[in-house]
Amino acid sequence: MENFSKRCLAVSPSLTLAITAKSNELKAKGVNVISFGVGEPDFNTPKHIVEAGKEALDKGMTKYTASSGTPVLRQAVCDKFKRDNDLVYDKTQIVVSNGAKQSLFNALQVLVDEGDEVIILAPYWLTYPELVGICGGKSVVVNCLAENEFIVNPSDLEKAITSKTKALILNSPSNPTGAVYSREQLESIAAVLRRHPNIWVVADEIYEKLVYDGNKHVSIASLDGMYDRTIVINGMSKAYAMTGWRIGFAAAPTTRVAKLMDGLQSHESSNANTPSQYASQVALNSDESFLDEMRSTFLARRNRMLEKLSTIKGVKAIHAKGAFYIMVDVSSFFGKSYNGVVIDGANKLASLIIDNVSVAVIPCEGFGAPNFIRLSYATNIEKINEGLDRIKDFLAEVK
């Protein structure tokens, strides 16, 4: 039988996971693959967090918790928001989920009805439009220009707003661009939204602690008039190198919003992993000096990647201020050929690169940026050097 739901059939598989799967398949065959595709830190989870997870198991913390998370973890999340973002929440406004992706899904399920429009800023994380579509909404894409470091022009945002606009998804620091919105740039966005009081903001801040060059992360929820209309999404995956622990959280402006999100989650999945909740509570309440080493390592890698990219003829890398990605314009190679194969876009170029020089990169057609590939520097300097040398040699053969 083939009578599957339309919403399921409309979902596109994750391109990043597909590239990662192909990379892993080649590695399993003994191929020396260098991956610039991975979206997770290559650091191990800090030892004290791992020990907390073990302690939770030893103490028998293996039962259900409240679907919204343990009270102790939700209080730790409140303390984090106050400490890091000057945002005051009660633990009844916090919902802990199975990763920030579920937190995003819960937020959009609460906000979006059939036919509602959600503004997404391109380049975007490819999951955003899929989540909007699953919720019955329509994605309205606003393009952000590379020459502006992928920061939205407020007038373009204003033009995209209609009577059907329900929400704006704002991601800073950004995947895939590494863009970081300054306070002044966020104020410009807030000024537009204040003219439209019925529009929500879903603020994805999962990369907030990975910011470089003296820049500071600012949450749009902390600006005047924005707290009451913003759901802030964050989690443990990126800054704490806890991708597999699957803990995300949402901070809602009211207990009512949080209860609606929790109600959905109680039927979707119930609580997030119980030992992981305990480990996350310890992580949020502990010294975070390990983050300084992580940031300095990522900064050195970013600088090296930008330096190497500057020597490759035909590509243009966009300076990234946060996260661990660099966007690279490869459109000068479109229409050219490699060994008789015409390069008709970033997907084809990425496929040729992994097939011929065993380097995995992410084509950004699915990110709303068809002229670009995304390179992750969540790998060591040696692999950055070798991988970019391979790409340079490959591109030199494109005619």
Side-chain angles (χ1 to χ4, degrees):
M1 295 178 67
E2 290 290 325
N3 55 335
F4 304 116
S5 71
K6 292 179 181 179
R7 84 177 65 85
C8 179
L9 293 172
V11 174
S12 299
S14 171
L15 178 62
T16 54
L17 293 181
I19 294 290
T20 300
K22 184 170 186 178
S23 174
N24 290 336
E25 181 182 337
L26 290 172
K27 288 178 182 178
K29 294 178 179 178
V31 179
N32 178 19
V33 178
I34 294 176
S35 178
F36 294 142
V38 68
E40 64 179 338
D42 59 325
F43 299 89
N44 291 327
T45 304
K47 185 176 180 180
H48 69 283
I49 302 175
V50 173
E51 291 301 321
K54 294 177 182 178
E55 181 183 354
L57 294 172
D58 289 339
K59 288 183 175 180
M61 295 180 180
T62 58
K63 307 298 184 183
Y64 293 132
T65 73
S67 58
S68 60
T70 65
V72 179
L73 175 54
R74 283 182 283 139
Q75 184 58 56
V77 171
C78 292
D79 295 341
K80 168 259 176 295
F81 277 115
K82 176 60 178 174
R83 180 175 64 245
D84 295 343
N85 311 108
D86 197 27
L87 291 169
V88 177
Y89 296 101
D90 183 82
K91 60 180 177 290
T92 60
Q93 296 170 258
I94 306 298
V95 179
V96 176
S97 301
N98 296 278
K101 188 179 289 187
Q102 186 180 24
S103 298
L104 284 163
F105 183 66
N106 289 343
L108 290 169
Q109 283 279 30
V110 165
L111 299 180
V112 178
D113 273 323
E114 198 78 27
D116 285 345
E117 294 178 352
V118 178
I119 294 175
I120 299 175
L121 307 179
Y124 46 75
W125 183 38
L126 78 175
T127 293
Y128 293 150
E130 301 297 337
L131 294 180
V132 171
I134 292 170
C135 294
K138 175 186 176 183
S139 295
V140 176
V141 175
V142 175
N143 290 311
C144 304
L145 301 179
E147 48 264 41
N148 295 333
E149 295 185 339
F150 297 117
I151 298 297
V152 70
N153 184 319
S155 64
D156 292 337
L157 176 60
E158 179 76 59
K159 292 173 186 175
I161 294 173
T162 73
S163 60
K164 295 182 178 180
T165 304
K166 193 64 171 289
L168 163 70
I169 299 178
L170 182 66
N171 178 209
S172 177
S174 167
N175 173 13
T177 69
V180 176
Y181 280 81
S182 68
R183 180 176 295 274
E184 293 72 24
Q185 289 162 340
L186 290 173
E187 286 285 5
S188 296
I189 293 174
V192 172
L193 295 176
R194 290 186 192 108
R195 295 193 287 272
H196 304 275
N198 294 323
I199 299 176
W200 288 83
V201 178
V202 178
D204 181 353
E205 302 181 359
I206 190 70
Y207 292 93
E208 73 161 315
K209 293 185 183 290
L210 300 178
V211 178
Y212 319 112
D213 304 328
N215 293 286
K216 302 292 183 183
H217 170 74
V218 177
S219 176
I220 194 169
S222 67
L223 304 185
D224 288 346
M226 298 307 297
Y227 179 97
D228 291 338
R229 58 196 298 180
T230 301
I231 300 175
V232 181
I233 308 297
N234 212 316
M236 308 303 295
S237 292
K238 310 302 181 180
Y240 300 90
M242 294 177 67
T243 50
W245 297 70
R246 307 315 301 137
I247 296 292
F249 46 83
T254 65
T255 299
R256 168 66 170 158
V257 175
K259 283 185 175 179
L260 290 171
M261 294 174 66
D262 181 30
L264 282 169
Q265 183 167 297
S266 70
H267 295 291
E268 292 168 350
S269 63
S270 298
N271 62 278
N273 179 286
T274 300
S276 293
Q277 288 193 61
Y278 181 77
S280 298
Q281 159 204 325
V282 170
L284 291 171
N285 287 328
S286 301
D287 176 74
E288 295 184 348
S289 57
F290 68 89
L291 281 169
D292 294 332
E293 179 181 355
M294 183 186 288
R295 275 189 294 264
S296 64
T297 300
F298 276 136
L299 177 61
R301 293 171 175 179
R302 184 208 65 178
N303 290 344
R304 182 56 176 158
M305 184 170 275
L306 286 172
E307 180 185 356
K308 293 284 287 185
L309 286 166
S310 70
T311 70
I312 302 178
K313 185 177 180 181
V315 306
K316 182 179 180 182
I318 309 303
H319 186 89
K321 295 179 180 177
F324 39 71
Y325 310 106
I326 292 176
M327 293 285 280
V328 183
D329 187 338
V330 291
S331 59
S332 69
F333 297 97
F334 297 172
K336 297 181 180 180
S337 299
Y338 177 81
N339 286 346
V341 178
V342 177
I343 299 170
D344 58 5
N347 282 349
K348 176 63 72 176
L349 181 62
S351 179
L352 287 170
I353 289 173
I354 194 169
D355 287 342
N356 288 278
V357 294
S358 304
V359 179
V361 303
I362 301 296
C364 290
E365 293 179 18
F367 293 75
N371 289 342
F372 290 82
I373 59 174
R374 188 196 75 178
L375 304 182
S376 167
Y377 47 91
T379 190
N380 62 52
I381 292 284
E382 292 74 23
K383 289 182 179 178
I384 289 172
N385 287 334
E386 182 179 350
L388 290 178
D389 283 342
R390 292 186 195 179
I391 290 175
K392 183 176 183 177
D393 291 342
F394 168 83
L395 292 177
E397 299 300 315
V398 174
K399 305 299 181 184

